[in-house]
């Protein structure tokens, strides 16, 4: 959880429980459980009152970015993350920059009492941390962003060589009314069918041959799936 700047390829797959079992049979020979193998993740996405950033993202523009606060159950820190993607460049990489604050500090930020720069200055050690905090503040102020949608899910994480990571996200829920990171249970269940697991592959460069083979054998193909984008589509139909 301590990385602050990421530059990598991300591919998502919607799979069944049987698909997951088949994939795990192979990856256990090449990968190991991450240090934070199992976690419950709470993501609060910031947006305008009209959800302009999410709508823009759904339209698949050449350049898009998101701002979210990520919390982990049982962990007293919140990551403020800027996720940026440039379509059609270098295999469609994703860039993520993040700065960490406490949950109490996050409450002050949401209440409008402090800026991210002020909060980050209390504990961050490098000028890069403060630069990221400055970028977060700029996004919030420029677009008048507020917490708008939360996604909640359980994650299993595996890591391999060359920074290869595979995660399995299950029990996806969403909420746009109760956005507290301290709430233990809330949200509406997203999936209703058998393909209810989001497998995500994160890599720097091309995927290893053993991984492409298992994907091909099980006829698993990458697809566009944004947790917050799909949650927004559910919300506007309610």
């Amino acid at each position: 959880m301590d990385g602050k700047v990421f530059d990598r390829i991300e591919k998502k797959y919607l799979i069944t429980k049987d698909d997951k079992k088949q994939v795990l049979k192979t990856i256990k020979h090449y990968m190991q459980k991450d240090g934070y193998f199992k976690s419950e993740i709470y993501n609060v996405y910031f947006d305008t009152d009209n959800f302009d950033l999410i709508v823009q993202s759904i339209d698949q523009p050449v350049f898009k970015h998101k701002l979210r606060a990520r919390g982990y159950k049982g962990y007293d820190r919140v990551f403020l993350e800027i996720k940026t993607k440039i379509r059609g460049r270098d295999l469609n990489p994703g860039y993520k920059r993040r700065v960490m604050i406490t949950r109490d500090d996050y409450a002050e930020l949401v209440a409008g009492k402090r800026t991210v720069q002020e909060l980050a200055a209390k504990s961050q050690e490098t000028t890069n941390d403060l630069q990221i905090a400055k970028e977060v503040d700029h996004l919030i102020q420029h677009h008048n962003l507020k917490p708008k949608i939360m996604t909640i899910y359980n994650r299993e994480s595996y890591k391999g060589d060359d920074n290869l990571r595979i995660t399995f996200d299950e029990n996806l829920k969403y909420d746009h009314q109760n956005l507290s990171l301290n709430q233990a249970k809330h949200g509406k269940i997203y999936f209703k069918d058998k393909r209810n697991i989001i497998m995500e592959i994160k890599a720097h460069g091309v995927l290893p041959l053993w991984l492409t083979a298992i994907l091909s054998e099980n006829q698993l193909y990458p697809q566009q799936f944004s947790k917050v984008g799909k949650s927004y589509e559910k919300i506007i139909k309610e």
Side-chain angles (χ1 to χ4, degrees), residues 1 15 21 36 48 73 89 106 108-109 120 125 129 133 140 145 149 164-165 183 186 191 204-205 214:
M1 296 182 186
I15 65 175
K21 289 179 181 178
Y36 301 95
T48 67
K73 185 177 181 180
R89 179 182 175 188
Y106 175 72
E108 289 200 353
L109 170 68
E125 299 178 351
D129 295 332
I140 292 174
L145 302 181
I149 296 179
L164 174 67
R165 293 189 73 243
Q183 184 71 17
H186 57 178
F191 287 110
H204 293 267
I214 193 65

Side-chain angles (χ1 to χ4, degrees), residues 19-30:
D19 292 331
K20 179 184 174 182
K21 289 179 181 178
Q22 292 301 315
V23 173
L24 287 177
K25 285 180 181 179
T26 298
I27 69 172
K28 67 181 182 181
H29 299 296
Y30 299 93

Side-chain angles (χ1 to χ4, degrees), residues 1-8 79-82 94-99 126-129 131-132 135 163 204:
M1 296 182 186
D2 57 352
K4 296 173 182 175
V5 180
F6 304 82
D7 174 1
R8 62 194 179 191
F79 294 98
L80 296 171
E81 303 178 335
I82 302 173
Y95 302 89
K96 183 167 71 175
R97 302 178 301 288
R98 69 186 186 183
V99 62
T126 70
T127 55
N128 189 49
D129 295 332
Q131 176 58 35
I132 296 172
E135 292 178 34
N163 292 312
H204 293 267

Side-chain angles (χ1 to χ4, degrees), residues 167-215:
T167 58
F168 299 92
D169 296 339
E170 302 183 52
N171 306 317
L172 176 62
K173 298 178 183 178
Y174 65 95
D175 202 329
H176 68 291
Q177 296 176 330
N178 185 351
L179 302 177
S180 171
L181 287 173
N182 296 316
Q183 184 71 17
K185 293 183 180 179
H186 57 178
K188 297 181 180 180
I189 296 174
Y190 178 85
F191 287 110
K192 302 295 183 180
D193 52 24
K194 292 183 178 180
R195 292 190 179 276
N196 57 11
I197 300 174
I198 305 167
M199 180 177 72
E200 188 164 358
I201 299 174
K202 305 175 178 72
H204 293 267
V206 298
L207 302 183
L209 291 177
W210 63 264
L211 181 52
T212 56
I214 193 65
L215 294 173

Side-chain angles (χ1 to χ4, degrees), residues 22-232:
Q22 292 301 315
V23 173
L24 287 177
K25 285 180 181 179
T26 298
I27 69 172
K28 67 181 182 181
H29 299 296
Y30 299 93
M31 307 182 72
Q32 58 184 330
K33 294 178 180 178
D34 191 279
Y36 301 95
F37 170 54
K38 288 191 175 183
S39 57
E40 185 172 318
I41 299 175
Y42 296 74
N43 288 328
V44 176
Y45 289 84
F46 286 61
D47 212 321
T48 67
D49 288 334
N50 294 322
F51 299 97
D52 292 324
L53 295 186
I54 295 173
V55 172
Q56 181 189 45
S57 179
I58 292 173
D59 289 340
Q60 292 297 310
V62 173
F63 173 86
K64 61 181 180 181
H65 55 230
K66 301 174 184 176
L67 174 63
R68 73 183 180 196
R70 167 168 287 190
Y72 295 84
K73 185 177 181 180
Y75 189 58
D76 187 39
R77 294 292 184 272
V78 175
F79 294 98
L80 296 171
E81 303 178 335
I82 302 173
K83 292 197 69 177
T84 302
K85 184 166 284 190
I86 304 174
R87 178 166 52 85
R89 179 182 175 188
D90 297 330
L91 299 177
N92 198 18
Y95 302 89
K96 183 167 71 175
R97 302 178 301 288
R98 69 186 186 183
V99 62
M100 183 173 64
I101 60 176
T102 68
R103 285 179 181 254
D104 288 342
D105 286 344
Y106 175 72
E108 289 200 353
L109 170 68
V110 172
K113 297 179 180 179
R114 306 285 290 277
T115 67
V116 181
Q117 291 180 79
E118 291 171 337
L119 297 171
K122 298 193 304 180
S123 59
Q124 306 304 323
E125 299 178 351
T126 70
T127 55
N128 189 49
D129 295 332
L130 298 180
Q131 176 58 35
I132 296 172
K134 184 177 180 179
E135 292 178 34
V136 174
D137 279 332
H138 173 73
L139 280 177
I140 292 174
Q141 295 163 10
H142 181 72
H143 296 286
N144 192 24
L145 302 181
K146 307 169 186 175
K148 298 297 290 185
I149 296 179
M150 173 181 278
T151 61
I152 311 107
Y153 48 92
N154 299 106
R155 168 167 287 183
E156 290 182 14
S157 304
Y158 295 83
K159 62 180 180 180
D161 296 334
D162 300 322
N163 292 312
L164 174 67
R165 293 189 73 243
I166 297 179
T167 58
F168 299 92
D169 296 339
E170 302 183 52
N171 306 317
L172 176 62
K173 298 178 183 178
Y174 65 95
D175 202 329
H176 68 291
Q177 296 176 330
N178 185 351
L179 302 177
S180 171
L181 287 173
N182 296 316
Q183 184 71 17
K185 293 183 180 179
H186 57 178
K188 297 181 180 180
I189 296 174
Y190 178 85
F191 287 110
K192 302 295 183 180
D193 52 24
K194 292 183 178 180
R195 292 190 179 276
N196 57 11
I197 300 174
I198 305 167
M199 180 177 72
E200 188 164 358
I201 299 174
K202 305 175 178 72
H204 293 267
V206 298
L207 302 183
L209 291 177
W210 63 264
L211 181 52
T212 56
I214 193 65
L215 294 173
S216 178
E217 289 170 10
N218 290 277
Q219 298 182 348
L220 302 178
Y221 306 106
Q223 55 188 284
Q224 295 290 338
F225 189 93
S226 164
K227 295 183 185 73
V228 65
K230 295 298 184 182
S231 298
Y232 166 76

